[in-house]
Amino acid sequence: PADTARVARGVAGLAAGLALGAACLSGAAAEGGSDAATSKVTAGAASTLNSGSEKNITRGVDLSGANFAQRKLRGVSFQQSILREADFRGSDLTGASFFDADLANANFEGAVMRNANLELANMRGANLTGAIVEGSYVVGATKFDGIKIENSDWTEVGLRKDQQRYLCSRASGVNPVTEVDTKESLLCPQ
């Protein structure tokens, strides 16, 4: 309920220009259902791979602490959004964009993040335990300090050498879905 209200307030702030009524989201928040509150994101009101829409209602929105656990959010754009301590556990984030997003202490445990854009993202303290990050785009200034990556799969993720060394120092285990060793997926030296 609290995180749903936060999502509703953030989306409502930008929704007027996109003909989305704040009352729609506020009503969903009052009912206590995060499904309805996040439906504007999952139904294509944000940029998605398949919608053909260029509406970026999440751009720059503060969604800190929001609950997106167990959601299908394929291709959704969370560009430049503040998602501190957001819950994405078990979500399908294939092709999602977190470009320049603040994901500090966000929980991506068991999430599928194939081909996600993590460019310039702040992932300090994020939990990617058991996540599938395969093929995701990471560049230069993406911050990983304190990240948890046990049992995650980083196959075909391009990293700077210093990022790779840091992640290798934290890597352990085997991803339960892909059965890929975390250190092997990061190409850690033996």
Side-chain angles (χ1 to χ4, degrees), residues 80-185:
Q80 299 176 326
S81 292
I82 301 168
L83 295 152
R84 294 180 199 124
E85 298 181 3
D87 187 355
F88 291 97
R89 283 175 296 146
S91 290
D92 183 354
L93 298 161
T94 301
S97 178
F98 294 98
F99 173 82
D100 198 23
D102 185 351
L103 303 167
N105 300 307
N107 190 351
F108 292 95
E109 187 171 348
V112 177
M113 302 174 72
R114 285 186 174 101
N115 302 311
N117 182 350
L118 301 171
E119 181 180 5
L120 301 175
N122 173 15
M123 300 194 71
R124 289 183 174 132
N127 180 4
L128 275 74
T129 302
I132 302 171
V133 191
E134 179 183 338
S136 290
Y137 182 68
V138 176
V139 74
T142 301
K143 298 168 187 75
F144 293 117
D145 303 339
I147 195 170
K148 298 175 186 85
I149 61 167
E150 297 83 10
N151 306 319
S152 58
D153 182 349
W154 293 74
T155 302
E156 296 184 25
V157 175
L159 299 163
R160 285 189 335 230
K161 290 293 181 191
D162 61 317
Q163 291 171 325
Q164 179 190 26
R165 275 192 303 275
Y166 179 74
L167 292 175
C168 285
S169 75
R170 305 185 68 77
S172 65
V174 174
N175 186 275
V177 176
T178 64
E179 299 181 356
V180 172
D181 182 277
T182 302
K183 285 186 181 274
E184 286 180 23
S185 72

Side-chain angles (χ1 to χ4, degrees), residues 11-40:
V11 172
L14 294 175
L18 301 173
L20 297 174
C24 174
L25 294 179
S26 298
E31 293 172 16
S34 61
D35 288 339
T38 58
S39 69
K40 295 300 178 189

